Amino acid sequence: MMKIICVCGARPQFVKAAAVSRAIVKYNTENPNCIIDEKIVHTGQHYDENMSKVFFDELKIPRPYVNLEVGSGLHGRQTGLMLEKVEEVLLELKPDIVLVYGDTNSTLAGALAAAKLHIPIAHVEAGLRSFNRKMPEEINRLVADHLSSILFCPTDTAVENLQKEGITDGVHQVGDVMYDSVLFNVNLAEQSSQIMSRLELPSKGYYVATIHRAENTNDTKRMDDILSAFGQIDFPVVLPMHPRTRKILGKKLTNISKNVRVIDPVAYFDMLMLEKNSRLILTDSGGIQKEAYWFSVPCVTLRDETEWVETVEAGCNILAGAERQRIVDAVKQNENKSTAYNSMLYGDGHSAERICRILLESQVNQI
């Protein structure tokens, strides 16, 4: 038996973890004499029901072994609390490997806790770089990669980034588990989601936007410019608002243009349908840039750089930063562009199965 602890705490991580958990269940069903025992440790980084519990319900993710309920807070305090509590769980369960996803504080805490206890670490979505160390996510992914024994890269670019940093052992280009998840869930979303009728949205008659990164939400000018640009766009903008963004904006919410429809965070299936049926997507989220690409929906990224350079090179994504006129111009430019993409750019939808197989091979090699 192989014992895996998956440490996650934010909604994009739940999506990735769901794909890997499905692959593990499939493997255990087909190989009853060689079981993988996976337990999920939920740090509680995302604790709002629409950003946490509903994901476990929709995606049929195994219930967490424990929810550490760390909640929000300053980066140091939040990461420190996670580190302390994750360490306690690892000491109790003594896993063979710790699996971390992406680039959040949960990723960093999981990797640090495992490294201090000399437990091998596997990092899903390794090798991504924005080359902007002002981003907390960049620090998290750098540290996680340099502590990991197994690095699961979603793209060739990610592999090259690791090579430039001297990391070559244990590196595997497996494709993107988020693509696995989209392929698996989009039909289920179309059957069960009522978001389009509930919000009375016509297909291709609106834009969808998300803003959550600290580089935008913590900068008053950037936020003002972004929201001002939304008000100048010809189509209505549906904006599912992150609780932290709502808290930061406070009373400013009443001054947002009537063109912008602020709604609460939505479940994963609802978000897929909002993205798939939108005319254009504006976002500072890495995952949503890719989902726009997979749905062939033009994307305007509200950042100065992106880890997902392939979407920009494919002409489906424009980096607009947070300047009002640049955003407006990027929207107009993308409106006149037909999108096409190489469906194999992020793998073939079987990335999670490769991850499962490589994890098992790593255990055999250690015996």
Side-chain angles (χ1 to χ4, degrees), residues 53-65:
K53 181 179 181 297
V54 70
F55 272 58
F56 284 84
D57 293 339
E58 278 191 340
L59 298 175
K60 304 295 188 293
I61 306 173
R63 289 293 168 185
Y65 173 77

Side-chain angles (χ1 to χ4, degrees), residues 84-134:
E84 177 185 354
K85 294 188 176 188
V86 170
E87 182 181 58
E88 291 173 357
V89 177
L90 298 184
L91 285 168
E92 173 196 349
L93 297 178
K94 297 179 174 57
D96 297 303
I97 197 159
V98 171
L99 192 60
V100 296
Y101 293 84
D103 54 19
T104 71
N105 288 342
S106 297
T107 313
L108 177 61
L112 284 171
K116 295 284 187 179
L117 295 173
H118 309 293
I119 301 170
I121 304 155
H123 185 197
V124 176
E125 219 172 62
L128 300 187
R129 297 292 182 268
S130 68
F131 303 102
N132 177 4
R133 294 201 178 187
K134 292 181 180 179

